Amino acid sequence: MPISLNPQMMRQIIMDHYENPQYKKTPEDVSKYEQLHMFSDNCIDDIIVYALVKDNKIVECCWSGVACTISTASTDIMCSLVIGKDFDEAKYIIDQYNHMIKEESYDESVLDEAIVFMNTSKQAARIKCATIGWDALEEIIHNHHHEK
Amino acid sequence: MLDPYKIRKDFPMYQNHIKMQGKDLVFLDNASTTFKPYSVLKAIEDYYSFYTSNHHRGDYDLCYNVDVKIKETRQLVAKFINADVNECVFTTGTTQSINIITYGYALKNLSKDDEILISIEEHASNSLPWFEVAKTIGCKIKYIELNKEGRITPENVKKAISKRTKIVAIAQVSNVLGYLVDIKEIARIAHENGAILACDGAQSVPHRKTDVKDLDVDFLSFSAHKMCGPTGVGVLYIRKELFNKVSPVFVGGGNNVTFKPEHDVTYYSTPAKLEAGTLNIEGIIGFKSALEYLMKIGMENIEQYEQNLRKYAINRIKEVKDLIIYNEAAEEGIITLNMKGIFAQDLGTYLNSKGIAVRTGQHCAKMLPLFLNTPATVRVSLYFYNTKEDIDIFIENLKNGGNFLDAYFA
């Protein structure tokens, strides 16, 4: 954990995103968005991730549904990180996040607040909660490539 | 009086001093599954070590020994629930048992004007198979209203039942709220209205004495793994008057007397008719040992012990601030709760970090949140090897919880 970030701050970041998720909304012009419905078998998570894609770039990203503290905060933070990024950049961020979750070496510089989930692997049953939104976006990007 | 510390000597999960997150394991998730005594493990190992062979397949001694074991297990199951031996069908568990009722009985005997009564607190295994019946034949599913506490009462069954009702399908004990349903009275009401009663016994049979004749149920489903037996084995009790109305869902090896090229098949009678394919022999043999173990302790003793432990747990839980209990008055050893302001799964993760196993979420009863007004709960479920000390550890950790998200940062 970086010296600048103590457990209280990490907790606060998660609670802020849980209580006030900035990107939790259904887009008004939802038909223009690519979307993926994800649900978990061991938690209540049942979410849809939306991405507005233009020229291989994520112009907008948001999500809706029912989700626990961890999946709410992690999906919300993910949205904040990928908006405005092209697919390669977004994929790089997702990869670094997954490396971190798996306790592999990762590039912290692109994860910003997402590093609050660095110890999730200690609670293995909750890894799915911390990755569900990220997995959705990764699949959206993958599907977009394949549709082309 | 039952001594849980003496009982723990029979269980490898206690004798092996299992730790979780570096802490001594406190297992409070017995409604999900239960620990197995050494005797069950030994019975399974003996089968593979000394008499591996298939059932009803050959003239040799090993095979005969397997047949004898299966027969003895069936006799013991029958004794355990006071049924006749042929009324007990081996299945893979409660889910398959209920699917035999829906696909083998309901689909063949109901028509589109008929109604099936269930409740919103039923487990997925006692809801989805009925939904499939309704979708296939166009009949209606109606819900018995729960009373304020969340109980299914005979009065509310009377309100919901009609001359169109053909099946009442409910659990004797809800896997979330733990209330004991008056199945005997509800069976009487069902029969009076020309319906049958299919009882889901997954959460009741392991914890109390069961007498199908006294309860007067038509079907009873339960699983071995929730009563110290192996996974992958269960029972479907079928009242013998219904034998001819239940068709096999699976057909093939072991369930037919003869078949001819023009598709002319003669099936065995129940139970073999409904047991096509090689049975879970190791599971059935292990189940026999589990039943012997439970019968030696005595189901009345188990019931009494669990009820006392539940009372102790409820009293202690009340010491903890901000806990909401959803089923304080329930008869079974299931306590469902939430801590104000803490998401159920986060509380579950925190308890995991303290070595305590509980279930969180909707517990497969996904219609019940409509009644409970919460998307998820924490469920503590007891068995006869749990101790007051288990409860004390649970309570102390709740009291000294501090911030429940700490499990992620420790």
Side-chain angles (χ1 to χ4, degrees):
Chain A
M1 186 187 317
I3 299 165
S4 59
L5 203 58
N6 63 37
Q8 268 147 330
M9 291 164 77
M10 293 167 88
R11 187 188 304 143
Q12 198 52 50
I13 289 170
I14 292 179
M15 288 315 290
D16 284 350
H17 280 276
Y18 176 59
E19 285 164 1
N20 282 308
Q22 278 176 274
Y23 300 94
K24 188 177 178 186
K25 58 191 168 198
T26 306
E28 277 178 28
D29 43 354
V30 68
S31 61
K32 293 179 182 160
Y33 281 68
E34 306 202 12
Q35 52 177 281
L36 199 70
H37 186 184
M38 300 284 279
F39 39 87
S40 139
D41 54 6
N42 62 349
C43 191
I44 63 151
D45 306 328
D46 184 350
I47 63 169
I48 299 174
V49 173
Y50 306 93
L52 182 64
V53 175
K54 206 175 169 188
D55 302 330
N56 281 340
K57 194 172 170 181
I58 299 168
V59 182
E60 273 298 333
C61 189
C62 56
W63 67 283
S64 67
V66 181
C68 69
T69 321
I70 300 302
S71 55
T72 296
S74 79
T75 306
D76 211 55
I77 291 171
M78 176 196 75
C79 293
S80 74
L81 291 177
V82 298
I83 292 173
K85 302 286 192 298
D86 67 30
F87 277 176
D88 288 341
E89 291 168 325
K91 187 74 175 59
Y92 183 76
I93 296 169
I94 294 169
D95 286 346
Q96 299 318 302
Y97 183 77
N98 284 328
H99 287 318
M100 178 186 78
I101 295 287
K102 288 179 197 159
E103 293 188 302
E104 297 163 0
S105 60
Y106 63 99
D107 176 0
E108 191 186 305
S109 71
V110 296
L111 291 183
D112 199 51
E113 286 184 334
I115 60 165
V116 297
F117 296 104
M118 60 168 47
N119 291 327
T120 302
S121 57
K122 289 183 180 160
Q123 300 299 331
R126 302 300 296 281
I127 288 175
K128 174 91 183 181
C129 304
T131 54
I132 189 165
W134 300 72
D135 289 346
L137 185 64
E138 190 173 19
E139 205 171 321
I140 287 173
I141 294 173
H142 178 83
N143 292 344
H144 189 86
H145 273 303
H146 281 260
E147 279 162 20
K148 287 215 152 177
Chain B
M1 188 62 189
L2 189 154
D3 177 359
Y5 292 99
K6 206 173 140 202
I7 278 170
R8 284 182 173 203
K9 293 194 172 132
D10 299 330
F11 286 82
M13 283 294 287
Y14 288 111
Q15 292 312 294
N16 292 334
H17 305 290
I18 304 300
K19 290 192 183 288
M20 196 163 73
Q21 300 261 319
K23 312 277 192 318
D24 289 333
L25 173 66
V26 176
F27 189 75
L28 298 174
D29 192 22
N30 293 288
S32 291
T33 199
T34 54
F35 292 164
K36 324 302 170 196
Y38 285 108
S39 57
V40 169
L41 275 57
K42 174 137 192 343
I44 295 169
E45 195 183 341
D46 283 355
Y47 163 61
Y48 287 125
S49 304
F50 303 114
Y51 59 102
T52 299
S53 59
N54 211 329
H55 62 118
H56 52 62
R57 289 294 189 282
D59 299 318
Y60 51 95
D61 287 356
L62 293 183
C63 198
Y64 175 78
N65 291 342
V66 169
D67 281 347
V68 168
K69 286 283 183 191
I70 291 174
K71 189 177 155 197
E72 286 172 355
T73 310
R74 206 186 300 276
Q75 285 167 339
L76 206 58
V77 168
K79 189 174 167 196
F80 193 80
I81 61 171
N82 193 27
D84 293 346
V85 68
N86 287 337
E87 293 177 317
C88 302
V89 179
F90 287 120
T91 65
T92 60
T94 304
T95 302
Q96 195 191 62
S97 298
I98 296 173
N99 274 274
I100 293 175
I101 309 173
T102 55
Y103 285 94
Y105 174 82
L107 274 188
K108 316 275 175 182
N109 293 283
L110 268 61
S111 58
K112 75 173 181 39
D113 295 326
D114 292 334
E115 292 172 1
I116 298 162
L117 272 191
I118 67 170
S119 82
I120 61 162
E121 69 178 355
E122 300 309 315
H123 188 279
S125 296
N126 198 35
S127 307
L128 306 189
W130 300 109
F131 291 2
E132 291 298 321
V133 171
K135 268 196 269 181
T136 307
I137 60 181
C139 66
K140 263 205 191 110
I141 292 186
K142 290 203 162 178
Y143 295 90
I144 303 158
E145 197 184 333
L146 305 180
N147 77 359
K148 274 185 192 161
E149 267 184 301
R151 287 179 189 272
I152 296 171
T153 61
E155 292 68 36
N156 285 353
V157 173
K158 275 185 200 162
K159 280 186 211 161
I161 206 162
S162 77
K163 291 294 167 199
R164 295 186 168 188
T165 308
K166 290 292 177 294
I167 300 174
V168 179
I170 51 174
Q172 188 177 15
V173 167
S174 149
N175 73 309
V176 183
L177 293 177
Y179 294 125
L180 180 68
V181 175
D182 187 350
I183 289 292
K184 186 174 176 174
E185 176 60 10
I186 292 173
R188 195 191 62 74
I189 297 165
H191 295 151
E192 204 174 76
N193 285 273
I196 61 151
L197 187 95
C199 179
D200 171 357
Q203 299 294 347
S204 54
V205 175
H207 300 277
R208 58 185 58 247
K209 197 168 172 21
T210 304
D211 182 334
V212 289
K213 291 198 168 71
D214 180 54
L215 292 174
D216 206 19
V217 293
D218 300 285
F219 293 105
L220 176 74
S221 308
F222 56 100
S223 299
H225 74 96
K226 291 188 197 291
M227 45 198 297
C228 298
T231 53
V233 188
V235 172
L236 172 61
Y237 158 79
I238 305 175
R239 181 201 290 277
K240 59 174 167 291
E241 287 77 10
L242 292 175
F243 280 1
N244 292 333
K245 292 189 169 180
V246 185
S247 305
V249 178
F250 301 105
V251 292
N255 91 323
N256 63 87
V257 183
T258 174
F259 58 96
K260 294 174 187 153
E262 52 278 10
H263 312 173
D264 187 9
V265 187
T266 309
Y267 291 116
Y268 285 123
S269 51
T270 305
K273 177 175 85 174
L274 304 174
E275 294 176 345
T278 296
L279 287 170
N280 179 354
I281 298 170
E282 63 158 272
I284 290 169
I285 287 169
F287 188 27
K288 176 170 183 272
S289 277
L291 288 169
E292 284 164 349
Y293 186 82
L294 294 178
M295 287 162 101
K296 203 171 94 190
I297 296 171
M299 294 311 289
E300 289 97 339
N301 292 333
I302 288 173
E303 182 184 340
Q304 188 62 50
Y305 178 80
E306 284 177 26
Q307 284 182 358
N308 288 339
L309 190 61
R310 187 184 199 280
K311 276 181 204 145
Y312 178 80
I314 290 285
N315 284 334
R316 290 237 51 201
I317 285 169
K318 285 181 175 172
E319 295 170 17
V320 185
K321 268 202 303 191
D322 295 332
L323 270 191
I324 306 160
I325 308 173
Y326 294 94
N327 61 343
E328 189 178 327
E331 291 77 9
E332 206 70 55
I334 291 174
I335 302 168
T336 296
L337 48 87
N338 258 324
M339 193 163 243
K340 279 183 197 155
I342 312 291
F343 200 78
Q345 263 90 2
D346 291 331
L347 187 57
T349 301
Y350 165 78
L351 291 169
N352 176 56
S353 77
K354 303 295 179 188
I356 303 167
V358 295
R359 173 94 188 262
T360 64
Q362 301 174 334
H363 324 292
C364 296
K366 295 189 181 183
M367 298 188 284
L368 191 56
L370 297 171
F371 175 83
L372 295 178
N373 275 325
T374 176
T377 53
V378 174
R379 180 184 72 186
V380 170
S381 53
L382 310 170
Y383 212 13
F384 57 92
Y385 42 61
N386 284 122
T387 61
K388 286 183 177 173
E389 207 181 332
D390 287 341
I391 305 297
D392 293 342
I393 295 168
F394 173 69
I395 299 298
E396 293 317 314
N397 276 295
L398 285 182
K399 280 185 178 174
N400 305 323
N403 194 297
F404 289 92
L405 284 176
D406 284 351
Y408 294 99
F409 312 121

